[in-house]
Amino acid sequence: MIIVMKREATEAMVQHAAEKVEKLGLKAHVIVGTERTVIAAIGDKREEMRESLETVAGVSKVVPILAPYKVASREVKPEPTLVKAGSLEVGNGMCGVIAGPCSVEDEEQIVKSAKAVKAAGATALRGGAFKPRTSPYSFQGLKEDGLKMLATAREETGLAVVTEVVASEDVELVAKYADVLQIGARNMQNYRLLEAVGRVDRAVLLKRGPSASIDELLLAAEYILNEGNSRVMLCERGIRTFESHTRFTLPLATVTYLHQKTHLPVVIDPSHGTGHASLVPDMCVAAVAIGADGIIVEVHPEPDEAMSDGYQSLDLPTFAATMQRCRAVANAVGLKCGADV
Ligand code: PEP
Ligand code: MN
């Protein structure tokens, strides 16, 4: 249920209503909007609960949440959510730009990448230290050493660090170094991991599973939100189809659809979405044109030498040229893309 507070309701009234919700055995999520505050009451509800909440001081009305996902739903919060993490801002008119290599390989590689993507207008640095690889024999990442290199790159550039966490027992360690915890496509339905990132004070980039429906993506986000972490970004990174020309199929309509269903920001990953560097620049520009709240792009100083995903990574000049096009398109559609350069 959504408990819609009156415009003039005081903070004490909101607090009191939230306590009342908890006393009824439901979980209360207070969501402060620009227009008014609502409380999402989650749990097994009964009709008499609605009646008793309707008479609480400051309450305007109590309405059911129709969507299966609750806190993520636009019904609960009609205005878009802006997620901030260090230098990164994603949502509500701001298209954040997360760029960097697939994997952290050594300090020189990550620092060089960070400086170049920042100069081109990126607002965050990506780089995997824990890599979820299809084969156990592929490079698995530098783990904590890689995280330290990412922290060095942040010190040198001021860019927020986005990096993947693959297991709940690693969340504390990765959170020590990262500004944003990335949940990879293969882990979208690892519910214990989602709960674990829901309990830390770090923004989360949740990638869509290659075979997951959009409702499943939103319900996965709900696991994180339900633990109290409201800084969740959704990421479309392509789905598995019969098409074999691209690594995955990148459905850009996901952005528009998700904007209708959720207040959470939506990030597009054209690198994994296409799997070919030659297709990435146009997909970045297209994502900005349709109002994506962010793009995450694999960029490498020497793509041919990359230890993972080199074939879909942009070199530094191509990324800089792509950013120029993205800024021009953002300007035309009334958005801001990345940082001014
Ligand atoms: C990545 O970002 O390098 C990655 C492994 O992405 P995904 O989980 O979308 O495959
Ligand atoms: Mn990759």
Side-chain angles (χ1 to χ4, degrees):
M1 290 176 289
I2 312 169
I3 295 125
V4 182
M5 301 302 295
K6 290 182 179 151
R7 266 171 232 281
E8 65 275 15
T10 62
E11 243 176 73
M13 285 174 178
V14 174
Q15 182 65 28
H16 176 246
E19 280 164 16
K20 179 88 195 210
V21 168
E22 300 266 344
K23 262 198 211 129
L24 290 170
L26 303 173
K27 197 160 181 170
H29 291 272
V30 177
I31 297 155
V32 183
T34 44
E35 291 285 306
R36 55 173 102 196
T37 297
V38 303
I39 303 167
I42 312 295
D44 239 349
K45 58 175 196 311
R46 292 185 305 276
E47 181 54 23
E48 61 270 25
M49 290 181 175
R50 191 177 66 79
E51 285 162 13
S52 71
L53 286 165
E54 251 166 1
T55 54
V56 172
V59 171
S60 157
K61 57 183 174 181
V62 179
V63 287
I65 309 173
L66 299 176
Y69 38 89
K70 307 294 176 190
V71 187
S73 165
R74 276 239 170 205
E75 295 170 49
V76 164
K77 184 170 180 278
E79 66 267 30
T81 291
L82 167 66
V83 172
K84 289 188 193 180
S87 60
L88 179 66
E89 286 191 14
V90 168
N92 199 18
M94 181 65 213
C95 177
V97 178
I98 306 163
C102 179
S103 309
V104 181
E105 297 167 7
D106 56 58
E107 191 172 300
E108 194 194 332
Q109 173 244 18
I110 195 68
V111 171
K112 188 172 179 188
S113 303
K115 286 183 176 163
V117 298
K118 181 172 181 177
T123 48
L125 173 68
R126 63 150 289 148
F130 288 88
K131 292 305 300 177
R133 302 306 299 281
T134 302
S135 162
Y137 308 119
S138 301
F139 175 58
Q140 302 287 312
L142 299 179
K143 313 218 163 63
E144 188 168 8
D145 287 342
L147 295 173
K148 287 182 180 160
M149 293 169 194
L150 284 164
T152 304
R154 175 177 48 214
E155 269 165 42
E156 300 247 346
T157 59
L159 287 181
V161 163
V162 180
T163 195
E164 181 162 354
V165 56
V166 296
S168 28
E169 57 270 29
D170 297 334
V171 168
E172 210 179 310
L173 174 72
V174 180
K176 207 168 113 188
Y177 298 95
D179 301 283
V180 178
L181 302 174
Q182 177 177 323
I183 300 293
R186 293 157 189 80
N187 268 317
M188 189 205 86
Q189 286 177 313
N190 180 341
Y191 298 119
R192 297 298 83 80
L193 177 60
L194 299 176
E195 286 169 349
V197 298
R199 287 191 289 267
V200 293
D201 185 18
R202 288 288 175 276
V204 177
L205 180 75
L206 175 64
K207 292 189 133 194
R208 178 182 186 177
S211 324
S213 69
I214 291 184
D215 268 15
E216 286 166 337
L217 171 64
L218 285 163
L219 284 165
E222 197 75 14
Y223 270 87
I224 305 169
L225 298 165
N226 193 40
E227 290 298 321
N229 190 345
S230 56
R231 285 192 291 160
V232 178
M233 298 168 261
L234 304 171
C235 179
E236 173 59 84
R237 45 78 72 213
I239 52 175
R240 180 125 312 151
T241 67
F242 56 83
E243 181 54 73
S244 57
H245 286 81
T246 49
R247 186 179 176 193
F248 293 96
T249 296
L250 180 64
L252 290 179
T254 301
V255 174
T256 311
Y257 182 81
L258 280 172
H259 280 166
Q260 290 168 7
K261 298 291 172 189
T262 179
H263 54 88
L264 298 174
V266 186
V267 175
I268 288 289
D269 177 347
S271 307
H272 294 86
T274 64
H276 297 281
S278 69
L279 301 177
V280 170
D282 282 359
M283 289 302 105
C284 291
V285 174
V288 175
I290 54 152
D293 303 294
I295 51 175
I296 177 165
V297 190
E298 288 187 334
V299 179
H300 196 286
E302 284 172 274
D304 292 346
E305 307 294 319
M307 292 176 83
S308 59
D309 288 354
Y311 47 84
Q312 64 189 35
S313 301
L314 299 185
D315 60 22
L316 306 177
T318 308
F319 176 67
T322 303
M323 281 304 297
Q324 271 187 8
R325 293 175 61 201
C326 287
R327 275 191 296 272
V329 169
N331 206 19
V333 296
L335 299 171
K336 185 159 168 29
C337 178
D340 295 327
V341 292

